[in-house]
Amino acid sequence: MWYRIEIDGETVYVQCSALADELPEAVMEDEEEETEETAAETAAAVETETAVTTETTATTTVVVETEPEPEPEPEPERSINYPPEGTIEYDLFILVNEAREDAGLEPYSWSGTLADAADIRAEEIVELFSHTRPNGEDCFSLSGVWAENIAAGQSSAQEVFDSWMDSDGHRANILDPDYETCGFSMCYEEDSEYGYYWAQEFGY
């Protein structure tokens, strides 16, 4: 067995009691083998560390999954009021809303306030067939009125509806997408010029 020792700052090799200035060939081979083994172990350690690092990276990968946004709840259907069944106003109301449905519009809801305004206007146009009222005010002075159709001489809901739909201005009021409510009235005066007088009021 050879031993490496330091004497006065110099390295010498001894075998039992033998002393040498240079490392014998056999020892050099042993040391080279040791160096190669050490390098191999170091490479293996690096490789192992790399593998571990790679594996750690793979196992710590986080997949973030977000919950899908909830679908918006459907809006509640708008409540629709109707005039009394069996009345001429009811018949006209159905015709008007059928036309709006055909045009892809929301139906009107019957308004008691606008129906009262229509009662007043139907009687007023017997005296003065105009959108200006007999007192000089316009029809919009009545509560809730934003648009008005009037007609005279038609004896049924179908007849007056057809007359209005054949007129661009009256049709535009019936199919206006912004209006939401309406009210109608018919007044019959036997001794008047036209006999039948119709008022149709629109609002929001």
Side-chain angles (χ1 to χ4, degrees), residues 8-160:
D8 296 330
E10 295 184 0
T11 300
V12 296
Y13 297 88
V14 297
Q15 183 180 28
C16 295
S17 60
L19 179 65
D21 291 331
E22 295 180 356
L23 182 65
E25 184 178 349
V27 176
M28 292 180 65
E29 290 176 354
D30 290 342
E31 198 166 90
E32 287 176 358
E33 290 176 359
E34 181 181 350
T35 302
E36 291 175 357
E37 290 177 0
T38 302
E41 289 175 358
T42 302
V46 171
E47 184 178 350
T48 302
E49 183 179 353
T50 303
V52 171
T53 303
T54 304
E55 182 179 353
T56 302
T57 303
T59 55
T60 56
T61 300
V62 178
V63 177
V64 178
E65 183 176 352
T66 58
E67 294 184 2
E69 294 185 5
E71 295 184 2
E73 295 183 2
E75 295 183 3
E77 292 186 4
R78 186 166 62 96
S79 177
I80 303 298
N81 297 321
Y82 291 81
E85 290 189 41
T87 63
I88 200 166
E89 288 82 6
Y90 179 86
D91 294 341
L92 182 55
F93 182 79
I94 295 301
L95 290 171
V96 166
N97 272 347
E98 286 177 349
R100 288 180 67 84
E101 182 179 358
D102 291 343
L105 302 173
E106 290 289 324
Y108 282 125
S109 184
W110 183 258
S111 166
T113 299
L114 292 178
D116 291 342
D119 285 339
I120 295 172
R121 291 294 295 135
E123 292 179 359
E124 288 181 344
I125 61 177
V126 176
E127 178 183 347
L128 177 64
F129 188 77
S130 170
H131 293 295
T132 300
R133 304 177 61 191
N135 64 3
E137 296 177 347
D138 59 38
C139 60
F140 309 117
S141 62
L142 291 168
S143 177
V145 175
W146 285 86
E148 175 181 82
N149 286 344
I150 57 176
Q154 299 86 355
S155 60
S156 70
Q158 185 68 61
E159 190 176 352
V160 72

